[in-house]
Amino acid sequence: MSELIKHECGIGLIRLLKPLEYYQEKYGSALWGLNKMYLLMEKQRNRGQDGAGLAVVKMNTKPGRPYMNRIRDNQTNPWTNIFKQVDGELEAFQQNYPETFSEAEELKLNFRFAGEAMLGHLRYGTHGSYGIENCHPVVRNSEYVNRSLALAGNFNLTNVGYLFQKLVELGQHPKYMTDTETVLERIGHFLDVANEHLYDKFKKSGYTRNEITKLISSEMNLVKVLKNAAKPWDGGYVIGGIVGNGDAFVVRDPNGIRPCYYYHNDEFVVAASERSTISTVFNLRPFDIQELAPGHIMSIKAQSNQIKIKPFTKPDKKLSCSFERIYFSRGTDVKIYKERKQLGREVVPQVLKSIDYDLDNTVFGYIPNTAETAFWGMVKEVEQYLNDQKVEWIKDLGKNANPEEISRIINIRPRVEKVIIKDVKMRTFIADDSSRDDMVAHVYDVTRGIIRNEQDNLVLIDDSIVRGTTLKKSILQIIARLRPKKIVIVSSAPQIRYPDCYGIDMSQIEKLVAFQAAIELLKERGQEKVIDKVYRKIMAMKAEDTLHERNVVQDIYAPFTEEEISQKITEIVCPKDFPIETEIVYLPLEKLSKAIPDHLGDWYFSGNYPTPGGNRIVNQAYLNFYEGKSERAYQVV
């Protein structure tokens, strides 16, 4: 993607099912699990660079010793910084205990991060500040191990104001009005309720307080706790948690909006946001790693190591995020790799039409770096088109066929070149706009001498076009220096028309170039009344508290075809007096499900949100646009 879009966070949970001595004997280190956690999150660093955190729980810790430890960082390269600190503590521990520092018992007793349950998190901040207090895991401490809780998640909830009020009604005094605070305190509340219920039950049976603590740990039902806590949640979420006694869990929202994968054997349980990272770190076959079903919880009991996977709420239609597959997730997942190639294949008919089927005078390339897989899919489909043509050409030779002519036809290939490269991240402190824009234009560089001036078409594919600013200020200006006859910019994603409210930082509708195009078309064609009518409809719904019932913003796009929107986008992103014919080509929305059939969440493209909160947020985003408020729609409570 040529534009930086902040998005979902990444989580990782590892629960060891054997004593630390087992891993010391089999793998040569009692810190085998901690080392795996480092790799698990390092391989997911694409999912978060604003902050990171790690929580470790030591099971069966004697009183007088801490059983839950946490470390967080919000500086540059936060995950690396965390393990620099962890390594520093380990070196200090080695100096203090030179003879026994590698022994499992000594490590667990004296090294903070030697434990059986680990929870890691990488943060991309889509809401709130970037302070360290916003980094996960967040912790709810108690002197009772069964009430302590470490929590980390990849989530955005759309009804934070409502959830905050529900906490107040429970008698709580939340410190912050954020989804993290409401989730932590709501789970914590029902964890307390479960503790109190079990305490009363065992007290009536005559058990001592110490005995009751152990019985509560054994009988705590995390499925019931999460079922009660999650009832009012609206949004996309994967949330991992560890209770102070070592019970652990991961939950996924009813529509499966956010991704979660897991694997377990008799040695460990692992869950993460990316299938490929689990496969790489633990050297597993991809298809041995399972996807946690929507509306399900995976729980691991502390004492029995019993693993349960069952619904904690009613699963809804699976509408997992398709944008995750197009761009955000690592392309080393075999399924994602194949899907991205298919996206490139599906857009080829539009590409061929845009170049008038002139392959002799067309060069194909991609905009670095995440579009590379879609590019290969596009090239393969163009090759298939050429192969079909070759068959006809050879047949047309008839009696005039000869080895030289047949060989010439067979060897016709698409012209594929690495035309554009992305330099290392460039920063500028120049204040004036003209100088700054010139610096931005040089983020990319081009290979000169490949394009035949004023003769060759240049087709470049990107995985998506969100705001169009990078195209306008950088890419188009730098590739214009190659002087192609025509520039075709291809998006392997459909037009992004609607804001997101489930974890991707695209909540301000007026910044989406497709929306800008629709508004300009309405004005050009004398249909401004549609803009006002949509506003009045939404205001009436707001007065009736029915913003959640329908996405009214779909009416803005209703008068236009996808092609008309694309043409207007082309006009918007082309710099003034741009000398080269340019066309923006998008994947048609109807073809998205052909490429990604198992992940049908397409609300940013279609406007069909999976939860009522999505409709409320998109309608509020339109109100913000109309009233000139530059703020995220889900900041309004």
Side-chain angles (χ1 to χ4, degrees):
M1 180 183 274
S2 54
E3 299 171 273
L4 175 62
I5 299 293
K6 293 188 175 184
H7 53 96
E8 312 105 40
C9 304
I11 69 165
L13 183 144
I14 295 176
R15 169 70 159 78
L16 302 179
L17 303 178
K18 307 281 188 182
L20 296 186
E21 289 81 359
Y22 174 89
Y23 305 95
Q24 182 177 18
E25 182 176 342
K26 182 172 182 178
Y27 297 107
S29 174
L31 300 179
W32 178 85
L34 184 65
N35 293 333
K36 291 296 185 184
M37 175 57 77
Y38 167 74
L39 292 172
L40 188 68
M41 303 312 291
E42 180 66 24
K43 292 290 185 181
Q44 294 186 102
R45 64 186 303 162
N46 57 297
R47 306 190 70 88
Q49 299 171 24
D50 293 331
L54 169 70
V56 177
V57 169
K58 302 170 183 279
M59 294 168 54
N60 304 314
T61 303
K62 293 181 179 180
R65 293 279 184 174
Y67 55 86
M68 180 183 289
N69 292 288
R70 176 187 61 173
I71 184 170
R72 298 181 292 178
D73 190 273
N74 65 339
Q75 303 301 309
T76 304
N77 299 319
W79 189 249
T80 301
N81 294 341
I82 282 174
F83 269 82
K84 283 181 180 178
Q85 295 179 63
V86 170
D87 288 342
E89 292 190 25
L90 187 60
E91 289 177 8
F93 172 74
Q94 181 178 355
Q95 292 175 1
N96 293 331
Y97 302 90
E99 296 180 359
T100 58
F101 82 95
S102 63
E103 294 181 6
E105 184 178 356
E106 197 69 47
L107 278 165
K108 185 172 180 179
L109 191 63
N110 294 299
F111 178 53
R112 286 203 300 157
F113 300 105
E116 294 86 358
M118 289 151 278
L119 183 63
H121 187 263
L122 299 166
R123 181 175 189 260
Y124 252 136
T126 57
H127 182 41
S129 71
Y130 296 92
I132 198 162
E133 69 276 2
N134 294 99
C135 296
H136 294 196
V138 289
V139 171
R140 195 174 190 261
N141 286 308
S142 172
E143 294 303 309
Y144 297 94
V145 294
N146 298 320
R147 293 176 182 250
S148 294
L149 177 65
L151 205 68
N154 170 14
F155 59 88
N156 252 49
L157 301 182
T158 69
N159 57 340
V160 174
Y162 173 78
L163 296 173
F164 182 89
Q165 186 57 40
K166 296 296 286 185
L167 290 177
V168 174
E169 291 173 6
L170 290 171
Q172 294 192 16
H173 186 94
K175 297 187 289 292
Y176 308 105
M177 190 182 289
T178 64
D179 52 6
T180 298
E181 179 80 1
T182 56
V183 166
L184 176 67
E185 293 303 330
R186 189 165 177 86
I187 295 176
H189 167 76
F190 285 102
L191 194 62
D192 288 344
V193 169
N195 270 271
E196 291 162 6
H197 171 75
L198 290 171
Y199 179 84
D200 290 342
K201 171 186 172 181
F202 294 125
K203 185 179 180 182
K204 289 178 182 178
S205 299
Y207 291 100
T208 66
R209 290 177 180 269
N210 195 37
E211 291 171 332
I212 290 174
T213 297
K214 295 177 181 178
L215 289 168
I216 290 174
S217 178
S218 176
E219 294 204 14
M220 177 74 69
N221 186 342
L222 289 177
V223 177
K224 187 174 181 180
V225 170
L226 269 297
K227 180 179 181 179
N228 290 325
K231 283 179 181 178
W233 293 348
D234 183 295
Y237 56 86
V238 168
I239 300 170
I242 308 175
V243 183
N245 68 336
D247 283 359
F249 66 87
V250 180
V251 295
R252 191 180 186 195
D253 66 83
N255 294 106
I257 294 172
R258 299 272 67 87
C260 183
Y261 298 91
Y262 70 90
Y263 173 84
H264 63 83
N265 56 21
D266 63 346
E267 293 184 352
F268 64 89
V269 181
V270 59
S273 300
E274 304 259 8
R275 183 202 307 267
S276 62
T277 60
I278 298 176
S279 176
T280 298
V281 171
F282 292 92
N283 193 23
L284 300 168
R285 296 179 302 175
F287 297 105
D288 289 336
I289 301 161
Q290 303 300 310
E291 182 178 3
L292 185 63
H296 278 62
I297 178 174
M298 177 174 68
S299 62
I300 309 102
K301 288 299 295 177
Q303 303 306 320
S304 65
N305 288 337
Q306 184 182 38
I307 302 165
K308 289 185 178 180
I309 300 169
K310 59 192 304 182
F312 70 96
T313 188
K314 183 180 178 181
D316 210 332
K317 180 181 179 181
K318 186 185 178 188
L319 291 170
S320 44
C321 173
S322 58
F323 212 14
E324 172 89 34
R325 318 292 289 188
I326 295 168
Y327 166 58
F328 297 130
S329 287
R330 290 171 65 89
T332 51
D333 184 303
V334 63
K335 290 187 176 181
I336 292 173
Y337 177 77
K338 290 179 178 180
E339 290 165 356
R340 290 179 181 175
K341 284 186 72 175
Q342 190 61 32
L343 288 167
R345 287 181 177 272
E346 294 290 346
V347 79
V348 165
Q350 284 70 34
V351 173
L352 292 174
K353 183 179 177 182
S354 72
I355 60 172
D356 197 24
Y357 301 88
D358 182 9
L359 293 173
D360 289 337
N361 297 302
T362 298
V363 173
F364 294 89
Y366 65 92
I367 298 172
N369 287 313
T370 51
E372 184 175 3
T373 306
F375 165 72
W376 288 117
M378 179 178 69
V379 170
K380 289 293 183 184
E381 189 66 17
V382 172
E383 288 177 346
Q384 184 60 54
Y385 167 80
L386 268 177
N387 287 340
D388 294 339
Q389 294 297 306
K390 291 175 188 178
V391 171
E392 299 302 318
W393 293 336
I394 291 173
K395 287 165 63 176
D396 289 344
L397 291 175
K399 295 180 179 180
N400 298 320
N402 59 72
E404 292 78 12
E405 186 63 14
I406 292 173
S407 177
R408 184 191 69 80
I409 293 173
I410 289 174
N411 284 293
I412 295 174
R413 297 283 189 275
R415 295 172 59 194
V416 174
E417 303 289 355
K418 192 165 185 178
V419 178
I420 183 169
I421 64 170
K422 190 173 186 179
D423 284 326
V424 294
K425 187 175 181 180
M426 298 179 68
R427 298 183 65 187
T428 175
F429 300 97
I430 298 173
D432 65 282
D433 290 341
S434 60
S435 297
R436 187 178 182 85
D437 286 349
D438 184 60
M439 290 288 288
V440 170
H442 286 82
V443 170
Y444 293 89
D445 202 352
V446 289
T447 307
R448 300 174 187 248
I450 294 174
I451 305 297
R452 294 175 296 192
N453 298 161
E454 287 83 40
Q455 179 179 343
D456 285 336
N457 303 308
L458 177 56
V459 176
L460 294 174
I461 190 169
D462 201 353
D463 46 43
S464 58
I465 301 168
V466 182
R467 303 182 184 113
T469 50
T470 306
L471 273 178
K472 186 169 188 173
K473 293 187 175 183
S474 180
I475 293 172
L476 288 177
Q477 296 196 41
I478 199 74
I479 62 177
R481 301 178 183 187
L482 301 176
R483 295 165 56 196
K485 176 184 176 184
K486 181 178 181 179
I487 297 170
V488 180
I489 302 294
V490 183
S491 169
S492 67
Q495 297 164 4
I496 298 172
R497 298 181 167 195
Y498 303 94
D500 183 72
C501 54
Y502 304 123
I504 302 171
D505 194 13
M506 300 190 304
S507 66
Q508 293 175 264
I509 196 169
E510 68 275 10
K511 293 184 177 180
L512 304 179
V513 70
F515 180 77
Q516 296 168 18
I519 293 296
E520 286 197 18
L521 284 172
L522 288 170
K523 291 178 179 179
E524 286 177 4
R525 300 183 184 185
Q527 295 179 282
E528 293 97 331
K529 62 182 181 180
V530 174
I531 301 172
D532 299 327
K533 187 177 180 181
V534 169
Y535 176 73
R536 289 195 299 271
K537 278 186 181 180
I538 295 175
M539 286 299 292
M541 292 171 67
K542 187 172 185 178
E544 297 168 359
D545 195 25
T546 58
L547 282 180
H548 60 281
E549 291 185 355
R550 183 171 88 86
N551 175 6
V552 186
V553 184
Q554 289 174 318
D555 295 352
I556 292 292
Y557 296 96
F560 311 114
T561 65
E562 290 185 27
E563 290 75 16
E564 288 174 312
I565 297 290
S566 293
Q567 290 170 10
K568 179 52 66 175
I569 289 172
T570 300
E571 294 177 23
I572 292 172
V573 301
C574 279
K576 187 178 180 180
D577 300 323
F578 194 62
I580 300 170
E581 181 186 358
T582 302
E583 184 175 357
I584 309 294
V585 173
Y586 284 89
L587 177 77
L589 178 56
E590 64 181 14
K591 293 190 175 183
L592 180 64
S593 60
K594 295 179 182 179
I596 311 178
D598 299 325
H599 301 268
L600 300 176
D602 64 357
W603 50 91
Y604 358 76
F605 314 123
S606 68
N608 299 323
Y609 288 86
T611 75
N615 290 332
R616 182 176 62 81
I617 294 300
V618 68
N619 289 327
Q620 182 62 57
Y622 188 85
L623 294 183
N624 291 350
F625 151 73
Y626 193 94
E627 296 171 357
K629 297 177 181 177
S630 181
E631 57 186 25
R632 292 182 172 106
Y634 48 75
Q635 288 178 238
V636 181
V637 297

